[in-house]
């Protein structure tokens, strides 16, 4: 996952291209994440250079219950 601060998440959040958008998810520790797949998605090309410079780490995302 790409790791972002709140300010960096605000910078990339929103529409990108062809109806696509980025919406970084906040983790309990206060950091925001995006999947690394956005780096190869042409719809997000406007942010590729910026996001490629961000740190990455493995993140375990708990399953969401429908209960």
């Amino acid at each position: 996952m790409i790791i972002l601060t709140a300010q960096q998440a605000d910078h990339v959040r929103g529409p990108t291209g062809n109806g696509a958008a980025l919406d970084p998810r906040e983790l309990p520790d206060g950091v925001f994440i995006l999947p690394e797949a956005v780096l190869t998605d042409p719809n997000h090309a406007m942010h590729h250079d910026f996001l490629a410079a961000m740190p990455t780490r493995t993140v375990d995302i708990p399953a969401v219950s429908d209960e």
Side-chain angles (χ1 to χ4, degrees):
M1 292 290 186
I2 300 168
I3 305 302
L4 304 162
T5 65
Q7 183 179 8
Q8 292 164 335
D10 286 343
H11 174 71
V12 299
R13 183 177 287 111
T16 53
N18 293 322
L22 293 175
D23 188 20
R25 179 174 174 182
E26 185 174 11
L27 298 178
D29 63 2
V31 300
F32 290 78
I33 58 171
L34 283 171
E36 291 174 59
V38 302
L39 296 174
T40 57
D41 187 330
N43 291 317
H44 308 304
M46 63 189 289
H47 293 302
H48 283 174
D49 290 341
F50 178 77
L51 292 171
M54 298 296 106
T56 62
R57 75 174 193 214
T58 301
V59 175
D60 292 324
I61 300 174
V64 176
S65 175
D66 290 336
E67 295 177 14

